[in-house]
Amino acid sequence: SPSPLHPLMPHPYATEQLDVNVFLLLKTNSWAAILSRLESHPSEAAEIRPVTVRGGYGARVNPLYAVSERHPPLEVIESLIEACPDAASTRKVPGSQLPLHAACTW
């Protein structure tokens, strides 16, 4: 169960573990936690998952696209690109926009 100190982190006595990943952390703009997660799990920067994008519809995007809709600190963008350079040229499906398009739109 979630800890009362931080809703995304398991309670110290919990027997179940949450499936914490970059996509879960970005829902709450947990920038420091995202940076820490990318250090230990850099492969998550290349994942493509279905999400509801800021336009209000479902699309398959990578974490770079998803954070680009949320005004992240430059360090988060740099960390995602360092972990997965191809993320900057990976297009959203449907729509074919790049993460740069998301950053400029929102």
Side-chain angles (χ1 to χ4, degrees):
S1 65
S3 167
L5 302 176
H6 193 287
L8 295 178
M9 302 311 282
H11 189 279
Y13 302 113
T15 56
E16 61 193 57
Q17 294 294 319
L18 294 176
D19 181 24
V20 176
N21 58 59
V22 170
F23 280 96
L24 177 65
L25 295 170
L26 70 84
K27 288 182 180 182
T28 57
N29 296 342
S30 301
W31 306 127
I34 288 171
L35 291 170
S36 178
R37 181 70 183 183
L38 287 170
E39 284 183 27
S40 61
H41 297 81
S43 64
E44 289 184 13
E47 291 182 6
I48 296 177
R49 293 194 181 193
V51 299
T52 300
V53 293
R54 203 140 167 209
Y57 60 91
R60 294 182 57 77
V61 300
N62 63 27
L64 180 60
Y65 187 97
V67 302
S68 294
E69 293 186 327
R70 298 171 176 270
H71 306 285
L74 179 58
E75 188 178 17
V76 172
I77 296 291
E78 290 172 337
S79 183
L80 284 163
I81 292 173
E82 182 179 318
C84 180
D86 290 341
S89 60
T90 301
R91 296 180 181 273
K92 176 182 67 156
V93 175
S96 298
Q97 289 90 6
L98 295 169
L100 179 61
H101 293 116
C104 294
T105 301
W106 302 106

